Amino acid sequence: MIEIVSQGLATIEVTQKHSGSLFMYAGHLGGAYAKNSFGNIFTAVGVFVLGRLFREAWGSKAPKMQAEFNDFLEKNRICISMELVTAVLGDHGQRPKDDYAVVTAVTELGHGKPQFYSTPEVISFCRKWRLPTNHVWLFSTRKSATSFFAAYDALCEEGTATPVCKALDEIADISVPGSKDHVMVQGEILEGLVARIVSRESSVQMEEVLRNFPIPSLDGGDSDLGPSLRDICAANRSDEKQQIKALLENVGSSMCPDHRDWFGYSGLEPQSRNADKSVVTHFLQAHPTDYATKKLQEMIGLMKRKNFSASFKSYWNYQKVDSLSNDNLCYKMVIHVYSDSVFRRYQQEMRKNQELWPLYRGFFVDVNLFKANNKKAAELSKDSNTLLRNINGALDSSLSSKDGLADEDSNLMVKLKFLTYKIRTFLIRNGLSTLFKDGPSAYRTYYLRQMKIWGTSASKQKELTKMLDEWAVYIRRKYQNKQLPSSTYLSEAEPFLEQYAKRSPANQALIGAAGDLVQTENFLAILDAQRDEEGDLQPERGTAPSSPTSTSLDVVSKTEGLIVFFPGIPGCAKSALCEQILNTPGGLGDNRPLHSLMGDRTKGRYWQKVADERKKKPFRITLADKNAPNEEVWRQIEDMCGMTKAAAVPVIPDSEGTDSNPFSLEALAVFMFRVLQRVNHPGNLDKSSPNAGYILLMFYNLYDGKCRREFESELYERFGSLVKMPLLKPERAPLPGDVKTILDEGMSLFRLHQSRHGRVEPSKGSYAQEWAQWEKRLRVVLSRNANYLTSIQVPFDVAVKEVLEQLKAVAKGDVKTPDTAKRRFGNIVFAAVTVPQADILSLLRKLGQNDGDVNNFLNGIKVEDNLSKAHVTLAHKRAHGVAAVASYGVYQNQEVPVSFNAFLYTDKMAALEAQLGTVNGEKIDSKNDWPHVTLWTAPGVAPKEANMLPQLFSSGQAKRVLIDPPITISGVLDFY
């Protein structure tokens, strides 16, 4: 996203995410819908809240405006989507103080593809009808856009509504406050933000809308609006149908004159499902009478043919019951996409056919199936020339481009959630079932996996583990074997969190807000007081660091185990590697015993055997000598880690990969070549195996659909570390044409075989002859290119040495985050320019050679032992605010020249005075009054005290040694 902004092509738009339920409304005839349902308590509550918003906005004019609004939606085929936030439909992240809704989208079907209003259009629409809108921020420059993402990084683990909105208001180019103040109506716990790319013109359009559509007045704000939602639900809580009836009657006939969606018609149930489930079949076979119908048939037909994981449920449309007959049937079709993978597969189809309409998680379609007599057919033909031209593809170029993926960037969206919300919703509420059914150990595995997937910082994981373990004991002791209902879990969770927060400022910061305890204006200061150290100076021996040391993997205790496993392909040399590790003197550098379990020599369920062995001796290092190619196996390994107190590290062959596979064709060719060199393999996969090529293609296909970056990112997110085994030499000749051809032929044949026969052996399918011929040709081609395939491989002893070094680092916890090129959100505390430690020490040596006092001082403090890294702080979250820190985002990872012109010291501290240079012609300035690198502080002296050195020098309490001429060292700007 930031790359697009830097080219001046787009703007980043960000909106608040309220914790509520999706509610859609298309007029009283168009219907009211929840996420995947209608005619229930959710939609009744939505209609009531919407009707009450009209009363609040229009006062005595509300009935008239409600009727006009319904008429407008129906005539223009418009549907509005709202975030419905209430306390009566079950708990989310925080119970709202008030029941309300905000409009999040407006969609117009018209006579073509559904068109979503831009945010400026949504705001003008809502201000015309006096409907509430969300808080919106626009970031239209590269600097503001990068600052936004940096601000999220700084707040993602601690952000609540007040500090988040304050920071974004300071950074954004345009800020449009929401109609409903989040803190006033919902509270401090903010679910998240939604960021998406919009056109650069959006900023201009937004400014114009704000000029032309001022914030509307609320004519009914002081009038009696009648009983509230909570009053009505409380008075009728014994009967849900009675609740629905009371809500609809109270909202009035202007808003909802027809209750048939909820109560049916003439004794019929309101949602009588079509018994024979034939509606979808009839719909797909029918002749479309308009463009939208044709496109929906195209979409649904594709989903049915490809067996996408989705449901298609049909119900009688009682809103149109008066026109029903045997020749005229009206239904509501509810389409619900179950799996995220469906969207990835559907997007692949959209790239093949750019005329396809986009797919949504859930949507509703009014279906009218009718038989047309001659007269009606003639009328349809006469009245729908334009629509028929559309069906035949005779669209003008502008409409055609809108149907396709020409504007694909406009569909890009990222949801950014805050940890304080995720604690309540995902870690507590969603973990209740696991906690009560499977126990605390399984619950711990569950929440640790969630935090690992999110990339939660090590310090927060440690704090949350302590809190969640205590929650598990508390709630199980209180409820015994009866599970706490997820719909009312906050009745127990909120008091627990409030009491937990009272124990310490750190706990208050972790919880975010609970009860009336936390004062958010003091929030950041409370949190950052625990993080004053910036980590440049080694702590004194025997003194604990003042804050947890964050690494990509916590140090593995010698009482805990380690599982080394291999997401690879046969021929990747895992067994040979395991043998080398077992025979290495000293193992992985500690006293834990090594144990290897070879898949080819293990009978039965391999991973269950590994789990059983680990339970016997959980502290040892297990080498799982078997390919682990999919997420199902990875989940089993995660479970083993939780049950046996172990860490796990994946070892993968290093390969560039392709667009859709983490392994390149060169890697596949090498693996095949190695397998076909084997003899007497214990798994019978060697040169004598007639299907060796097919088996390797089968393994290769198991990774299909993930590029290298996605593959590495997922493994790192799950397991916290990643070891890469060198495979191919960087400088190598390209893959020979005949090798590429034979591999391409094999993959095409594999797809044909799989499509027709699934996992049936190739010798038993209809392509048996083709497989036999291909296997024979494969051996000839690889043999002909043996010299090439041998020459491009990294020598095995070199690969083993590198893997051993990486594994030893994992065992010690000294792990560098792998470069997966996937954004990982962290909790930023400060921005700084880091300069190489070696260059700083070289500068100090030169200074000492020219000044005896300086030399004696440096030798006395043993600066080389105390300085672990060196940086010039630019801005600190506690001292300067989130926006100040985030403003450096545009320069992240850029080189900055730093000139050092003086050395200041006392008997308690020492620092180098610094002057920052420019990046691309722009001067980099520090928010600190005195830019410097802290070199040393005496025991008990905080590094921040070095800021006082200029004042101490002025008062004669410190020495200052000029560096003339100044020495310039290049550093890198980054966040920490």
Side-chain angles (χ1 to χ4, degrees):
M1 287 195 221
I2 295 171
E3 179 65 24
I4 294 173
V5 173
S6 70
Q7 297 170 3
L9 299 178
T11 293
I12 300 294
E13 175 191 282
V14 176
T15 55
Q16 275 181 340
K17 177 71 175 73
H18 293 251
S19 297
S21 306
L22 175 62
F23 172 64
M24 295 171 284
Y25 187 72
H28 63 74
L29 288 179
Y33 304 92
K35 189 173 184 179
N36 298 298
S37 62
F38 69 98
N40 53 26
I41 186 65
F42 291 92
T43 54
V45 169
V47 170
F48 176 85
V49 171
L50 181 57
R52 193 175 177 88
L53 289 172
F54 266 91
R55 292 185 194 177
E56 184 181 70
W58 294 98
S60 60
K61 297 179 183 177
K64 174 176 177 291
M65 297 309 299
Q66 288 169 343
E68 288 183 12
F69 183 66
N70 278 319
D71 187 55
F72 179 82
L73 295 184
E74 290 156 16
K75 283 184 177 178
N76 293 279
R77 305 178 81 186
I78 289 175
C79 178
I80 63 168
S81 298
M82 312 182 79
E83 194 75 45
L84 177 62
V85 185
T86 84
V88 303
L89 295 177
D91 287 339
H92 289 271
Q94 184 181 37
R95 284 181 186 163
K97 299 176 182 178
D98 197 4
D99 302 303
Y100 66 99
V102 290
V103 176
T104 55
V106 179
T107 318
E108 186 174 323
L109 179 59
H111 296 291
K113 177 182 176 181
Q115 297 296 318
F116 284 86
Y117 283 19
S118 67
T119 300
E121 289 170 337
V122 169
I123 290 177
S124 63
F125 173 90
C126 289
R127 289 192 173 181
K128 174 185 175 182
W129 292 102
R130 300 187 185 179
L131 293 172
T133 54
N134 224 331
H135 198 149
V136 180
W137 296 271
L138 289 175
F139 304 87
S140 55
T141 64
R142 183 171 183 264
K143 184 171 184 178
S144 65
T146 50
S147 295
F148 160 67
F149 286 107
Y152 175 73
D153 276 358
L155 290 165
C156 63
E157 292 189 345
E158 62 195 47
T160 55
T162 297
V164 168
C165 292
K166 180 177 183 292
L168 297 191
D169 283 343
E170 293 176 12
I171 295 167
D173 298 301
I174 296 176
S175 175
V176 185
S179 308
K180 301 285 185 181
D181 185 314
H182 193 287
V183 176
M184 298 298 293
V185 293
Q186 179 151 33
E188 279 291 348
I189 298 302
L190 177 62
E191 178 173 338
L193 303 167
V194 177
R196 67 189 185 104
I197 291 178
V198 295
S199 69
R200 179 160 290 280
E201 291 71 33
S202 186
S203 296
V204 177
Q205 294 166 1
M206 183 68 78
E207 289 174 342
E208 184 178 347
V209 165
L210 296 179
R211 283 194 304 269
N212 297 335
F213 295 90
I215 297 174
S217 59
L218 298 178
D219 295 347
D222 297 327
S223 60
D224 182 9
L225 302 179
S228 70
L229 173 65
R230 299 182 192 191
D231 291 337
I232 294 172
C233 289
N236 298 277
R237 63 179 305 184
S238 60
D239 187 339
E240 187 175 284
K241 285 191 175 182
Q242 186 58 37
Q243 279 185 333
I244 294 172
K245 182 179 179 183
L247 290 169
L248 298 179
E249 288 178 349
N250 188 274
V251 81
S253 59
S254 298
M255 190 69 205
C256 187
D258 194 322
H259 301 175
R260 281 179 284 191
D261 270 354
W262 289 272
F263 299 108
Y265 178 78
S266 296
L268 294 174
E269 285 297 315
Q271 294 190 25
S272 300
R273 191 173 304 175
N274 185 278
D276 59 11
K277 300 183 180 180
S278 63
V279 175
V280 175
T281 302
H282 292 321
F283 172 71
L284 293 176
Q285 294 172 346
H287 294 286
T289 60
D290 61 16
Y291 180 64
T293 301
K294 176 177 172 59
K295 302 308 292 183
L296 286 166
Q297 286 176 321
E298 196 174 50
M299 173 196 293
I300 295 169
L302 172 67
M303 295 172 70
K304 297 292 282 186
R305 289 195 305 275
K306 298 289 184 178
N307 292 317
F308 286 171
S309 180
S311 68
F312 304 87
K313 297 178 182 178
S314 301
Y315 307 89
W316 293 107
N317 187 347
Y318 291 123
Q319 299 279 3
K320 300 180 181 179
V321 70
D322 296 334
S323 61
L324 289 179
S325 69
N326 289 334
D327 293 337
N328 189 55
L329 303 176
C330 298
Y331 301 94
K332 289 179 184 283
M333 186 186 297
V334 182
I335 302 169
H336 180 200
V337 177
Y338 292 135
S339 171
D340 289 344
S341 64
V342 170
F343 294 100
R344 291 193 292 270
R345 294 172 64 191
Y346 191 83
Q347 284 167 356
Q348 292 175 355
E349 298 297 330
M350 289 182 77
R351 284 176 171 80
K352 298 175 190 174
N353 177 10
Q354 296 193 5
E355 297 290 319
L356 278 173
W357 275 10
L359 183 65
Y360 307 103
R361 172 69 71 183
F363 51 101
F364 302 82
V365 183
D366 279 353
V367 177
N368 180 200
L369 297 174
F370 62 90
K371 292 182 180 178
N373 55 34
N374 291 337
K375 181 179 179 182
K376 189 168 185 177
E379 289 174 355
L380 287 170
S381 176
K382 182 179 179 180
D383 294 338
S384 46
N385 289 332
T386 302
L387 300 177
L388 290 173
R389 282 199 301 273
N390 288 346
I391 291 174
N392 292 326
L395 298 167
D396 59 47
S397 59
S398 64
L399 181 57
S400 180
S401 66
K402 287 180 182 178
D403 277 350
L405 292 177
D407 193 27
E408 189 172 1
D409 288 339
S410 67
N411 295 320
L412 295 177
M413 181 182 295
V414 60
K415 291 182 179 179
L416 307 170
K417 299 197 181 223
F418 292 98
L419 185 60
T420 50
Y421 167 82
K422 293 191 286 189
I423 288 171
R424 291 156 168 82
T425 302
F426 297 107
L427 300 186
I428 293 180
R429 186 191 71 177
N430 291 4
L432 289 173
S433 176
T434 300
L435 175 59
F436 280 92
K437 288 181 180 177
D438 303 319
S441 178
Y443 176 58
R444 197 170 200 261
T445 300
Y446 162 78
Y447 71 65
L448 287 173
R449 179 191 299 156
Q450 287 294 114
M451 289 191 279
K452 197 168 285 185
I453 291 171
W454 297 335
T456 307
S457 66
S459 59
K460 282 294 181 187
Q461 287 195 44
K462 189 174 181 180
E463 292 177 57
L464 283 171
T465 296
K466 181 182 177 183
M467 188 268 284
L468 292 169
D469 283 349
E470 189 171 321
W471 157 255
V473 172
Y474 164 80
I475 201 65
R476 276 176 60 90
R477 183 180 297 156
K478 184 168 184 177
Y479 275 72
Q480 300 298 323
N481 295 323
K482 181 182 177 183
Q483 182 175 324
L484 172 66
S486 61
S487 61
T488 57
Y489 80 101
L490 285 175
S491 296
E492 294 292 348
E494 199 67 24
F496 169 83
L497 294 174
E498 185 173 2
Q499 291 302 313
Y500 191 85
K502 286 180 179 179
R503 298 180 196 170
S504 70
N507 285 2
Q508 292 181 26
L510 178 70
I511 301 305
D516 297 322
L517 175 71
V518 177
Q519 300 297 316
T520 56
E521 61 269 20
N522 297 326
F523 177 70
L524 288 177
I526 291 173
L527 181 71
D528 289 334
Q530 310 305 312
R531 294 186 183 162
D532 193 51
E533 300 291 347
E534 294 178 358
D536 284 4
L537 310 183
Q538 297 284 6
E540 292 296 311
R541 290 174 177 82
T543 303
S546 61
S547 62
T549 301
S550 175
T551 60
S552 62
L553 181 69
D554 286 341
V555 174
V556 179
S557 166
K558 301 304 179 280
T559 60
E560 296 182 0
L562 182 66
I563 303 171
V564 181
F565 69 101
F566 302 89
I569 293 174
C572 67
K574 64 185 178 307
S575 296
L577 175 63
C578 288
E579 186 177 345
Q580 290 291 320
I581 295 172
L582 287 172
N583 293 331
T584 299
L588 296 185
D590 56 37
N591 58 0
R592 285 175 295 174
L594 285 163
H595 171 68
S596 180
L597 203 62
M598 189 177 187
D600 293 319
R601 298 186 187 277
T602 303
K603 295 182 179 180
R605 298 169 61 195
Y606 175 80
W607 294 106
Q608 185 59 54
K609 292 284 180 68
V610 173
D612 293 341
E613 290 294 321
R614 287 210 48 75
K615 288 175 184 176
K616 296 175 185 176
K617 295 183 179 180
F619 59 90
R620 66 182 172 186
I621 297 174
T622 299
L623 305 179
D625 183 6
K626 183 178 178 66
N627 288 301
N630 54 36
E631 295 176 16
E632 181 182 352
V633 173
W634 301 347
R635 282 194 292 270
Q636 291 182 57
I637 294 169
E638 286 178 312
D639 292 341
M640 273 187 264
C641 290
M643 288 186 292
T644 64
K645 285 192 73 178
V649 55
V651 179
I652 60 173
D654 202 359
S655 169
E656 294 91 342
T658 70
D659 289 341
S660 59
N661 198 293
F663 298 103
S664 66
L665 290 181
E666 293 164 302
L668 178 60
V670 166
F671 297 152
M672 287 182 168
F673 178 69
R674 288 175 175 176
V675 166
L676 294 174
Q677 301 298 305
R678 296 171 175 173
V679 291
N680 299 322
H681 184 259
N684 298 318
L685 184 60
D686 51 31
K687 64 189 302 181
S688 64
S689 170
N691 300 326
Y694 166 82
I695 292 171
L696 268 83
L697 286 175
M698 181 179 68
F699 270 93
Y700 187 78
N701 189 68
L702 290 174
Y703 297 95
D704 191 50
K706 287 183 181 177
C707 69
R708 187 70 181 189
R709 288 178 178 178
E710 292 171 333
F711 174 65
E712 290 186 2
S713 294
E714 182 166 358
L715 284 168
Y716 178 77
E717 287 176 356
R718 284 176 177 269
F719 301 102
S721 59
L722 191 64
V723 169
K724 297 182 182 182
M725 182 176 183
L727 175 65
L728 304 175
K729 294 177 180 177
E731 303 296 329
R732 60 183 184 274
L735 190 68
D738 56 344
V739 177
K740 184 178 185 303
T741 298
I742 196 69
L743 294 178
D744 287 339
E745 289 176 0
M747 285 187 284
S748 297
L749 184 57
F750 180 86
R751 283 191 287 269
L752 287 172
H753 175 86
Q754 187 185 47
S755 176
R756 178 170 293 186
H757 302 294
R759 301 187 67 176
V760 172
E761 291 182 18
S763 60
K764 297 180 181 178
S766 55
Y767 300 102
Q769 188 174 351
E770 287 87 343
W771 275 119
Q773 294 172 354
W774 180 81
E775 292 277 359
K776 186 180 295 185
R777 292 201 312 275
L778 174 69
R779 286 156 173 77
V780 171
V781 170
L782 295 185
S783 176
R784 188 164 60 230
N785 290 276
N787 289 337
Y788 167 82
L789 293 170
T790 302
S791 68
I792 65 173
Q793 299 180 46
V794 172
F796 182 64
D797 59 335
V798 174
V800 170
K801 182 180 178 182
E802 288 202 26
V803 171
L804 278 171
E805 289 176 358
Q806 294 176 70
L807 285 174
K808 287 177 180 179
V810 170
K812 291 190 299 182
D814 183 18
V815 185
K816 180 181 178 182
T817 303
D819 181 15
T820 61
K822 182 174 180 179
R823 182 177 185 83
R824 294 185 54 77
F825 299 118
N827 194 3
I828 291 173
V829 175
F830 64 97
V833 176
T834 298
V835 290
Q837 175 195 12
D839 291 348
I840 291 293
L841 292 174
S842 175
L843 181 157
L844 293 174
R845 290 190 200 101
K846 291 179 183 177
L847 195 60
Q849 290 170 4
N850 298 325
D851 191 308
D853 290 342
V854 170
N855 189 56
N856 291 335
F857 176 81
L858 293 174
N859 289 334
I861 65 172
K862 298 181 180 179
V863 67
E864 296 195 18
D865 294 336
N866 283 288
L867 186 67
S868 62
K869 55 185 177 180
H871 73 248
V872 181
T873 298
L874 301 175
H876 195 287
K877 194 164 57 176
R878 177 171 60 88
H880 308 105
V882 172
V885 175
S887 66
Y888 294 98
V890 69
Y891 309 112
Q892 189 176 11
N893 298 323
Q894 297 287 315
E895 281 200 3
V896 181
V898 183
S899 294
F900 296 98
N901 49 31
F903 172 65
L904 286 79
Y905 66 101
T906 70
D907 60 347
K908 293 183 179 179
M909 65 192 82
L912 285 169
E913 187 173 287
Q915 184 173 351
L916 298 158
T918 62
V919 173
N920 299 326
E922 294 185 48
K923 181 75 167 64
I924 303 299
D925 291 314
S926 172
K927 305 299 181 187
N928 279 336
D929 294 333
W930 184 60
H932 65 279
V933 170
T934 302
L935 301 171
W936 168 81
T937 60
V941 178
K944 68 176 182 178
E945 297 300 321
N947 283 295
M948 300 301 297
L949 279 168
Q951 287 87 340
L952 293 172
F953 170 69
S954 298
S955 62
Q957 301 176 63
K959 295 181 180 181
R960 187 174 187 270
V961 180
L962 282 174
I963 302 174
D964 190 18
I967 295 176
T968 300
I969 300 174
S970 287
V972 176
L973 195 154
D974 209 343
F975 294 112
Y976 301 90

